[in-house]
Amino acid sequence: MSTPGCAGSDIAEVFAEQWPRLVARLVRDFGDVALAEDCVAEAFAEASRTWPGSGVPQRPAAWLYTVARRRSVDHVRRSVRLRQLLPQVLATSTQEALDGPEASMEAMDDQLRLVLGCAHPALSAPAQVALTLRIVAGLSTAQIAQAFFVSESSMTRRLTRAKNKIRDAGIPFSRSDRETLNRRLPTVCAVVYSIFTEGHMATTSPDLVRGDLCEEAIWLGELLAGLLPEDPEVGGLLALMVLNDARRPARVDRAGTPVLLAEQDRSTWNRPMIARGVALLETAHARGHGGPYQYQAAIAALHASAPRFEDTDWAAILALYDVLLTRQASAVVAVNRAVAVHYVHGPGAGLEALERIDPVAAGGLLDSAVFHSARAEMLSELGRSAEAVAAFDAALRTATNGAQRRLVRRRRGDVSAPAE
Amino acid sequence: MKYMLLLTDDPQQGSEPGTQAHDEEMQEWFAYTDALVKAGAMVGGEALHGPESATTVTVRGGERVVTDGPYIESKEVLGGYYVIEVADLDEAIDWAARVPNVRTGSVEIRPVMDMDMDDS
């Protein structure tokens, strides 16, 4: 096409950059999250109708804000509750709103308020995740539904319920003070990281890796890091996601079956991304240390920087897990620590470490594919093949996706019928 | 916004009237209510007699049925309520976290419906 118009990718670029800024700005103007989201969505819909013909306007953000604000004003005129805000909003011109002397600082603050609001403790964890993807990242309800393998109608219900609660319970999207930040930032990080791990280790999906969710999570991590450049844990979180994502191409084979770390083709790891992850970690570490995301990022960095599996610095990894376990006594960490014990002190010690995990503290995780697979590998290395096969069977029973099941089945085959 | 704070508690936990512990507890309640009034957040509130004093009424098909006891039997019982007027849920949560019984029982926050609104 040789029209003066624009490509879909131009709009996508503007969308990624401007969506959260515009929603955040309208939330500040009118204090209504659902209204802001609807009107910004309408503005982008209008852009994708008219820009291909007219070309991207000189100042796309101002164009979009003008359209979204006009829509909001139309809605607000019909609302007694919001009508009183109109004079105040209309007193600010589009230009002032976007380019005023304090506009860029204010825009950052608005977006931070938006992110913190979506992680409000009065919302359930699934609602926090769905809202963050919709309101902050601008994914459509259909996209979110697809990513979490639920029907679009049930995702619509989840989002509607959450937005109704925000409105009816008066959940504020107007806080970004220190206290709110300190109290809620761990939830924000957990929301972003859960989106990443959902993409990375899809529990419900037939395929193990869903790149789009990983990319959204990293995008959110970048946004957070931009808003809170001094926060060491936000930096640690971003480093962790970048480092894990850099190894994505090697994590599954062509059939979508996960590949064990020892067997991954390290030449396919994304080296520039690993370098970036390590640099992010170093910056974060220089700003302060001690949080669980930084420790996990440091472990990921050690894995990512080993040229071959045999070169892995397991002793350093074990030391990091030892500290991590004191900060975050989760069963996943305990199982991973036992795997590190295996490589430092042998399979017998690894098995002992697995068996020492407190089943009460671990909850359901001691009956999971991760636990049983780790145990099976150690048993098989100790020559206890029958027990290893039984442990693989337990892993098969508890595997939550088909890809994981295929890997366990293959390993079970290796052990029950050795090549030699 | 207006919120109702519903205070629930295990009645077995409370101290005996006449004891020093009870007096101290009462002082805490008075101080809390005072703080609400001083902050201009107090709309109303009452303490309730226990569920053993409750009477439940239903009318089904025109038939009035009056029964002894609370509608729902549970270990935790509604012991009283406040209605407060504050800016948003975060302020309501801050007030709820200071209710004296929150350390033994719990406080449920419910937004009060605004019937004057034409566009909810």
Side-chain angles (χ1 to χ4, degrees):
Chain A
M1 275 206 327
S2 57
T3 56
C6 66
S9 62
D10 292 333
I11 296 181
E13 208 171 288
V14 174
F15 186 91
E17 198 181 313
Q18 297 299 337
W19 170 278
R21 296 192 55 173
L22 291 167
V23 174
R25 173 70 212 199
L26 283 172
V27 168
R28 175 143 65 96
D29 289 342
F30 298 102
D32 188 316
V33 177
L35 176 75
E37 175 219 318
D38 282 346
C39 294
V40 175
E42 283 175 31
F44 273 103
E46 196 167 319
S48 54
R49 273 194 306 273
T50 57
W51 291 5
S54 63
V56 178
Q58 282 255 292
R59 305 180 55 240
W63 190 99
L64 288 160
Y65 179 61
T66 305
V67 174
R69 195 165 83 159
R70 201 185 308 131
R71 300 277 167 129
S72 305
V73 168
D74 288 345
H75 287 287
V76 162
R77 287 224 164 91
R78 280 177 251 132
S79 152
V80 167
R81 183 168 52 101
L82 296 172
R83 205 185 294 153
Q84 55 201 9
L85 292 168
L86 269 183
Q88 193 191 326
V89 173
L90 295 176
T92 319
S93 72
T94 303
Q95 185 141 13
E96 278 174 83
L98 297 179
D99 303 325
E102 264 99 52
S104 116
M105 275 305 289
E106 280 175 5
M108 303 272 273
D109 242 15
D110 287 345
Q111 291 175 75
L112 189 56
R113 290 187 191 108
L114 200 62
V115 170
L116 292 171
C118 289
H120 197 283
L123 298 163
S124 71
Q128 291 170 346
V129 167
L131 277 173
T132 301
L133 286 171
R134 174 72 196 127
I135 309 274
V136 184
L139 261 63
S140 71
T141 308
Q143 285 172 313
I144 304 168
Q146 209 173 13
F148 287 91
F149 292 91
V150 301
S151 69
E152 194 177 336
S153 63
S154 77
M155 187 52 75
T156 303
R157 271 199 304 281
R158 189 182 298 176
L159 280 164
T160 305
R161 215 182 296 134
K163 283 185 271 183
N164 287 347
K165 172 134 195 206
I166 291 170
R167 184 196 60 209
D168 296 339
I171 293 177
F173 275 64
S174 54
R175 302 289 165 88
S176 59
D177 53 284
R178 255 294 125 200
E179 201 191 329
T180 306
L181 195 60
N182 289 344
R183 198 176 285 162
R184 217 170 292 162
L185 196 54
T187 312
V188 172
C189 289
V191 165
V192 173
Y193 193 51
S194 81
I195 294 169
F196 183 82
T197 46
E198 180 68 28
H200 203 61
M201 263 303 265
T203 51
T204 45
S205 141
D207 303 307
L208 190 71
V209 177
R210 277 178 293 145
D212 40 355
L213 270 187
C214 295
E215 275 157 30
E216 291 303 333
I218 290 177
W219 180 90
L220 284 164
E222 310 257 16
L223 179 75
L224 267 185
L227 297 174
L228 300 163
E230 299 300 322
D231 190 275
E233 269 300 82
V234 166
L237 170 65
L238 180 58
L240 172 62
M241 294 191 294
V242 167
L243 284 163
N244 279 338
D245 205 45
R247 292 181 281 152
R248 195 204 301 172
R251 290 190 68 238
V252 292
D253 64 17
R254 276 203 203 94
T257 310
V259 180
L260 293 172
L261 185 59
E263 296 167 353
Q264 286 179 13
D265 176 1
R266 293 183 182 223
S267 70
T268 64
W269 288 1
N270 186 332
R271 291 290 157 192
M273 218 168 148
I274 290 172
R276 177 160 182 259
V278 171
L280 282 167
L281 175 61
E282 280 165 359
T283 312
H285 195 68
R287 301 231 157 92
H289 34 87
Y293 292 111
Q294 268 196 27
Y295 277 98
Q296 291 178 79
I299 291 164
L302 283 168
H303 281 302
S305 52
R308 297 171 308 159
F309 182 74
E310 303 81 72
D311 304 322
T312 309
D313 188 350
W314 285 106
I317 289 174
L318 178 56
L320 287 166
Y321 272 124
D322 282 337
V323 185
L324 183 57
L325 202 55
T326 65
R327 308 280 159 112
Q328 191 187 39
S330 89
V332 182
V333 174
V335 171
N336 286 332
R337 182 189 164 273
V339 172
V341 169
H342 170 188
Y343 286 109
V344 177
H345 301 296
L351 201 58
E352 212 174 288
L354 272 185
E355 274 153 13
R356 267 207 309 266
I357 298 174
D358 179 3
V360 179
L365 195 103
L366 290 195
D367 192 26
S368 70
V370 176
F371 176 84
H372 293 305
S373 297
R375 193 162 166 273
E377 296 291 351
M378 294 174 196
L379 286 166
S380 120
E381 215 171 296
L382 287 165
R384 293 156 65 176
S385 307
E387 287 168 85
V389 168
F392 276 125
D393 285 340
L396 266 183
R397 178 172 50 75
T398 45
T400 48
N401 65 52
Q404 206 176 27
R405 220 166 279 130
R406 285 199 296 280
L407 171 68
V408 173
R409 220 172 271 131
R410 201 205 85 209
R411 293 293 303 150
R412 185 188 182 281
D414 293 346
V415 170
S416 58
E420 292 92 340
Chain B
M1 281 186 68
K2 255 188 225 154
Y3 295 90
M4 182 179 252
L5 308 183
L6 297 121
L7 320 184
T8 53
D9 224 331
D10 179 353
Q12 308 298 321
Q13 297 281 323
S15 53
E16 283 296 316
T19 62
Q20 200 197 335
H22 187 76
D23 289 349
E24 281 166 16
E25 222 172 85
M26 291 315 291
Q27 287 310 314
E28 266 196 81
W29 285 102
F30 294 144
Y32 176 75
T33 308
D34 273 353
L36 269 178
V37 172
K38 282 212 185 80
M42 180 78 171
V43 176
E46 302 288 350
L48 304 177
H49 280 293
E52 67 285 349
S53 65
T55 307
T56 302
V57 182
T58 57
V59 177
R60 295 288 181 273
E63 181 115 8
R64 178 197 287 187
V65 180
V66 178
T67 49
D68 171 41
Y71 179 58
I72 301 164
E73 294 277 0
S74 70
K75 199 164 153 265
E76 295 257 298
V77 301
L78 183 65
Y81 70 91
Y82 286 100
V83 176
I84 63 173
E85 171 108 50
V86 292
D88 55 39
L89 183 63
D90 282 2
E91 284 187 18
I93 291 173
D94 286 341
W95 281 112
R98 290 171 60 186
V99 173
N101 86 316
V102 79
R103 295 183 302 271
T104 50
S106 59
V107 177
E108 181 175 328
I109 305 170
R110 296 281 289 273
V112 174
M113 258 192 216
D114 185 350
M115 292 309 208
D116 297 334
M117 243 149 59
D118 64 346
D119 63 331
S120 59

